[in-house]
Each structure stands twice: as C-alpha cells, then as structure tokens.
Amino acid sequence: MDDRSIALLILAIFGFYISRLWLRLAPWRNELPFKSLFASGFALVVAIFAKQLQWPASLDYIAFALAGLFILLPYGLYLLVRTRAYNSIKGLVNVLYWTQGGRDTLWNLLAQAALQQGDVQGALALGEKFSDNHLLYLQAYSLEERWRELLSLRLPEKGDSRFLALSARAKAFIELGDLENAREELLEMEERFAKEKGPIAHRSITLTQARLYAEEGNFERCKQTLEQPLAFTHPYQPLEILARAAEQNRQLSTAQQLYQQAYLIAPKLNRPSLAKKMLGLGFALPKIELPKQSYATYALLGLISCCFALQLGLERNYDAAIPRVIAAFILNIPTPEAKAIWRYLSYAFIHGGLLHFGMNMWVLADIGRIYERRRHWGNLLTSFVFGSIMGAYITSIAQAGDQLILVGASGGILGIAGALLADSWLDEKRRDPLLLRSLLQWMAIIVIFSISIPGVSLWGHVGGILGGLLWGFMRQGLPQDKNIDLGVGLISLGLTGYVLVMMVLFYQRYHGIFQQLIP
C-alpha cells in the first residue's frame, strides 16, 4: 500500500467507528449515518482495490473529498461546539445535509454536546432547529435545576431518548426528595434495557442507581456502582454523585475532597451549581489553576519536524535511503556502525514519508499535551526516550533473524501514551476512567494496524507501550518530588543531545560515501 491508500484505510476505519455514534441516534437510512457509512465504505474499497484493478486516480480524490465532508467535518462540528461558534455550525449543517431527518439528528447531537459543556442557552439555540426537542428541554431544565417544570414535559417514546428522559426525571424526583417515584423511573429503564441495550441506556441506569444510593447515604454501594467507565459522561459527574453519598453518610472530609475534585475538573458553566453546594456545607472553594503550558511537547514537535526537514533535503540531494542509513535502527543489513547503541534512539527522529510524519506529529501533539499538563516536562521526555529505546530493543529480540530498517517516532509517542495510561490507572487523584478506556481502545487499534498493514512495526509499537508503562510504574513508585522530574528530564535531554551529535558525526565521517551517490 502507498501513503494515499493507507490514509484512506485509516479514514475508512475512523468513519465506521464514528458511524457507530450516529447509529445510536438514528437508523442507517437517516442521512447522517448513511452518508458517513457510504463515505467510509467508498474509502475502504478504493484503498484496497484501486491500485490492484488500476482504477482512475481521480477516485482517490473523490474518496478523500467524501471522507472529509461526511466523516471528518461532522465530527469536527461536534468538537467545534466547545468554541460556541454556533452561527458557523448552523451554516455548515445546512450545506452538508439536505433532509429534515439528517439535520434533526445532527442538531440533536450538537445540542447534546453543548449540554455536556453546561451551555444550556447554546443547546437550546441549536435545538430550535430540530422538530422534536422535548428531550433537550428535559436535559436543559435538569441543568438549570427547574425540577417541577421538567416533570411537566412530555417524554420521548423510545430509544436512547427515552432512557435519557427517564434519567432526567429520576434526578428531578431525587432532588425533590421523592425517592419512590425515582425508583419507578429506574425500574422502567431496567425493564427496557432487556430489549434496548446500549451505552446510553447503561449510563442512564448506572447514574440513576448511583444517585439513589447517594441519597440513601450508602457510600460503598455508590462507589462500587460508579467504578465502571461510563460512555458520554463528564468525569466530574461521578465525583459529584459520590460526594453527595459521602455528605449523606456524614463523611464530611471525604465529601469536601470529592466536591473539590469535581469542581476543579467541571466545565466552567457547571461550577456555579457545585460552588453553591460546597458553600452551603461550609466548604472552601479550591483555587482554579491555569492549565500548564505544553512547552516540552511543542519543543519535541519542533525538533522532530526540523529533523524531518533535514531528511527531505538529504533525500533530494542524495538518495531516499541515505537518512535511514544515518539514523535508523538497523538489523542484519551491512551498514557502517549498524550496531551503534545510539541507534536505539536516533531512529525516532526520521520517518518513512509525509503521511508517516504527519500522523505521528498529530498524535504527539494530542497525547503529549495531555501528559505534560498532568506531569512535569521531564516525565514527558523520559517516557519518549524509554518508549523509543524499548521499541528498538523489543524489535531486536522479536525479529532477531530478520533484515529490517526501523524508523519513526511512534515508539516514543506510544511510550508517552503508556506512561499516561499508568498515570491515569494508578494515581487516585488523577484517575480518569474515560481517558483510561480511550487509551486502551486506541492502543488496540494501533496493534491491529500494525498487524494488518505491511511495513508497520508491530514490535516497535508494542515495545514503545511497554517502555512507557515501565516508566509510568517506576515514576509512581518514586517520591513525588519535582527535583526527581527535573533530574530524569535533564538525563533524557542529555541522551537526546548525545544521539543528535552522533548522527551528525556519522554523517561527517561517511560524507564521502554519500557524495558518490549523487547522480
């Protein structure tokens, strides 16, 4: 497969994954999931068969255009809700979708995204565009704590909307002190769940059951209920429910700690409600710290980008293989200094092509910023170095008899992801079930890609994950001292500098050989 075919394959798989979300909102015949499924299927067929059957190259461009319009753009609109650019969103929806059913489904989805951010007015502004918005008003009244008005609204008849509405009504009854009616709503959800299973239904039942345990002061049962990851749930919500359980059980110090954790991670528009509860109990509001800047992530992105630019220059002047000879991790291929120890890290600074480079930088920008904001920059750089070294080491063991050239930063990036996984798994203060589940799903997809796509290093990726986990677990066992973070960061920085110097010296030493390759 060439770069374009691999890119289309990635878009197709992402499209099928996103379509699962759309299908929770509407049947496949609805315009929103239908266009997404069609674009995904078309991209998959072109990626697999276009080169083999020598189809016209224009099909590649058509597949990319359809994927951009009906896979990436709808998902981008979902993310764009966070910026509250509602006028732009409305215009794009009208351009992309032409039937009332397709538009209604997307309006509903975007309104739900606004509600997740606590933006009731934005959700209602989006909701004006679709015809059946009773569920939206139920959820909006719930966020505004208008419980009696909520109970007067009509409920949707079936599907996920029914579960969401029943969950909102149960919460209203609980807030009004009517636990008996709340249990009746829970009972209906449980009876429907036998026929209409799904992540939304499961979430609605779990949160309602947890809220009932909380009101009863049953802290342990509430905690056990909320231990499982819940789809489409902001992490602050389980903490708020558990804090209520501690409050009802008179565990006031625990309740204060949990309320403060929920307050710190809650969307800005949800904080006033939490503040009201905390101040009513005499709890102090925690100080909101500005997010840490991701300077090390950006510096690493810049360094790898500069190396890739130099690589492109060498490829243009000499030969495509030259940069790989200079820096790659090499097994069983006659090459000067092929077994040099610095190659266990140097290979992370060159790439197999523009797509390879672009995908790695995209993931590094995403994963790196998350980890650096949770941990010191020294941990970020150390996990990258550990992941890169372990990626090469595991490859050297698993493929000891093969001839191969290993390039790319993905081992180091998966090292960061592995360290983030360990951090979100072991650190109780920073534990994030949704992040944990997302990382595990993403790593599983990476392994599947590594197995199914020729030329992608499975053991380099597995080694990167193991290296990151190794560092993450080691860091948890060390004292939480910034001097340690600074020390390991400086060591990793020194190793990186040493490797870059050795790459330059290697090039200078064998420059004459490279010069002979010029046409």
Side-chain angles (χ1 to χ4, degrees):
M1 281 189 171
D2 59 15
D3 283 357
R4 280 196 288 186
S5 296
I6 293 174
L8 284 173
L9 183 61
I10 292 170
L11 285 171
I13 294 174
F14 181 69
F16 286 122
Y17 178 78
I18 291 299
S19 297
R20 292 176 57 213
L21 298 179
W22 305 163
L23 289 168
R24 296 303 308 169
L25 299 170
W28 69 269
R29 296 181 298 276
N30 181 281
E31 189 183 12
L32 175 62
F34 178 81
K35 283 184 173 179
S36 179
L37 287 168
F38 177 80
S40 303
F42 188 76
L44 181 64
V45 170
V46 172
I48 295 175
F49 297 110
K51 303 302 178 186
Q52 297 178 10
L53 301 179
Q54 298 182 343
W55 289 349
S58 59
L59 288 178
D60 286 2
Y61 299 108
I62 295 173
F64 277 116
L66 290 175
L69 288 172
F70 301 118
I71 297 175
L72 298 179
L73 192 51
Y75 188 68
L77 292 177
Y78 180 76
L79 299 178
L80 193 61
V81 167
R82 298 179 182 180
T83 69
R84 302 182 194 173
Y86 296 125
N87 290 331
S88 299
I89 291 172
K90 291 175 183 178
L92 288 169
V93 171
N94 289 328
V95 170
L96 284 174
Y97 297 94
W98 312 315
T99 66
Q100 190 61 44
R103 289 175 177 174
D104 279 0
T105 305
L106 194 50
W107 291 132
N108 191 0
L109 173 72
L110 299 176
Q112 294 295 322
L115 287 174
Q116 285 290 323
Q117 299 299 312
D119 187 1
V120 174
Q121 296 307 314
L124 292 176
L126 290 168
E128 292 174 354
K129 289 288 185 178
F130 66 90
S131 53
D132 186 11
N133 55 12
H134 294 282
L135 171 63
L136 176 61
Y137 279 98
L138 277 163
Q139 294 173 299
Y141 287 171
S142 177
L143 285 173
E144 294 180 331
E145 301 182 359
R146 296 161 63 179
W147 308 119
R148 296 195 183 281
E149 291 175 83
L150 184 156
L151 293 173
S152 67
L153 293 173
R154 179 171 64 85
L155 273 66
E157 294 298 326
K158 57 184 179 179
D160 287 340
S161 296
R162 181 76 178 187
F163 282 100
L164 291 169
L166 289 170
S167 179
R169 282 176 59 86
K171 183 178 179 181
F173 282 125
I174 290 171
E175 293 293 335
L176 294 171
D178 188 351
L179 300 189
E180 190 60 35
N181 272 321
R183 292 190 184 96
E184 290 183 8
E185 305 293 344
L186 175 62
L187 180 61
E188 180 180 341
M189 284 190 277
E190 291 173 336
E191 291 173 349
R192 285 178 172 271
F193 188 70
K195 299 179 181 178
E196 303 179 42
K197 293 183 178 180
I200 298 295
H202 174 67
R203 183 194 76 168
S204 301
I205 291 172
T206 302
L207 290 179
T208 301
Q209 183 65 79
R211 287 190 176 104
L212 284 167
Y213 284 141
E215 289 304 309
E216 294 165 357
N218 195 333
F219 182 81
E220 290 302 322
R221 292 295 297 274
C222 182
K223 183 178 179 181
Q224 292 172 8
T225 302
L226 294 171
E227 282 179 347
Q228 54 191 309
L230 296 174
F232 313 109
T233 303
H234 196 286
Y236 92 91
Q237 292 177 292
L239 288 173
E240 181 184 10
I241 295 171
L242 195 57
R244 176 62 176 171
E247 175 192 340
Q248 291 291 88
N249 200 32
R250 308 309 299 168
Q251 301 179 32
L252 294 184
S253 61
T254 301
Q256 181 177 10
Q257 182 182 11
L258 290 167
Y259 273 128
Q260 288 178 340
Q261 290 180 26
Y263 184 84
L264 287 171
I265 65 174
K268 184 177 180 180
L269 294 174
N270 292 108
R271 287 179 188 151
S273 174
L274 286 166
K276 181 180 178 181
K277 293 179 182 179
M278 294 171 67
L279 293 174
L281 293 167
F283 299 157
L285 298 182
K287 182 180 179 181
I288 301 293
E289 296 182 1
L290 294 175
K292 296 179 181 177
Q293 295 301 314
S294 307
Y295 296 126
T297 301
Y298 297 132
L300 190 56
L301 284 165
L303 176 60
I304 297 173
S305 299
C306 289
C307 290
F308 184 65
L310 289 172
Q311 174 187 340
L312 293 179
L314 287 174
E315 289 177 355
R316 176 172 297 180
N317 292 328
Y318 297 117
D319 180 87
I322 298 305
R324 302 177 191 184
V325 173
I326 293 174
F329 180 76
I330 297 172
L331 282 179
N332 303 316
I333 297 176
T335 303
E337 300 186 37
K339 296 182 179 180
I341 195 169
W342 50 266
R343 290 187 181 273
Y344 281 80
L345 179 57
S346 62
Y347 77 94
F349 296 99
I350 58 174
H351 287 82
L354 185 59
L355 177 64
H356 188 202
F357 167 77
M359 291 295 294
N360 277 341
M361 294 304 96
W362 175 28
V363 177
L364 174 58
D366 192 18
I367 295 292
R369 286 182 300 168
I370 295 173
Y371 187 54
E372 188 177 356
R373 287 172 182 173
R374 294 167 67 103
R375 290 288 181 180
H376 189 275
W377 66 264
N379 292 284
L380 174 90
L381 191 54
T382 303
S383 60
F384 180 83
V385 169
F386 257 80
S388 300
I389 292 173
M390 284 296 290
Y393 178 68
I394 296 297
T395 300
S396 71
I397 295 174
Q399 298 182 262
D402 297 342
Q403 288 187 326
L404 64 85
I405 294 178
L406 183 64
V407 297
S410 52
I413 295 168
L414 283 165
I416 297 172
L420 179 59
L421 178 64
D423 193 59
S424 59
W425 184 4
L426 294 179
D427 193 329
E428 292 186 359
K429 292 183 179 180
R430 292 189 173 99
R431 185 168 295 168
D432 187 339
L434 286 179
L435 176 61
L436 185 65
R437 186 181 65 177
S438 298
L439 284 170
L440 290 172
Q441 290 177 342
W442 176 70
M443 288 177 182
I445 292 171
I446 291 293
V447 171
I448 292 170
F449 267 113
S450 303
I451 294 172
S452 58
I453 299 178
V456 177
S457 175
L458 169 64
W459 297 111
H461 289 159
V462 170
I465 295 171
L466 292 176
L469 286 171
L470 177 62
W471 169 248
F473 292 141
M474 287 173 58
R475 187 64 192 90
Q476 291 289 338
L478 295 171
Q480 301 304 309
D481 187 339
K482 287 189 176 180
N483 289 327
I484 294 176
D485 298 328
L486 180 62
V488 296
L490 291 175
I491 292 171
S492 299
L493 192 61
L495 284 173
T496 302
Y498 164 76
V499 165
L500 294 173
V501 169
M502 293 306 296
M503 289 164 60
V504 173
L505 292 177
F506 177 86
Y507 173 76
Q508 290 179 340
R509 189 176 300 126
Y510 297 100
H511 181 267
I513 296 175
F514 301 149
Q515 194 73 26
Q516 295 174 11
L517 297 175
I518 300 177

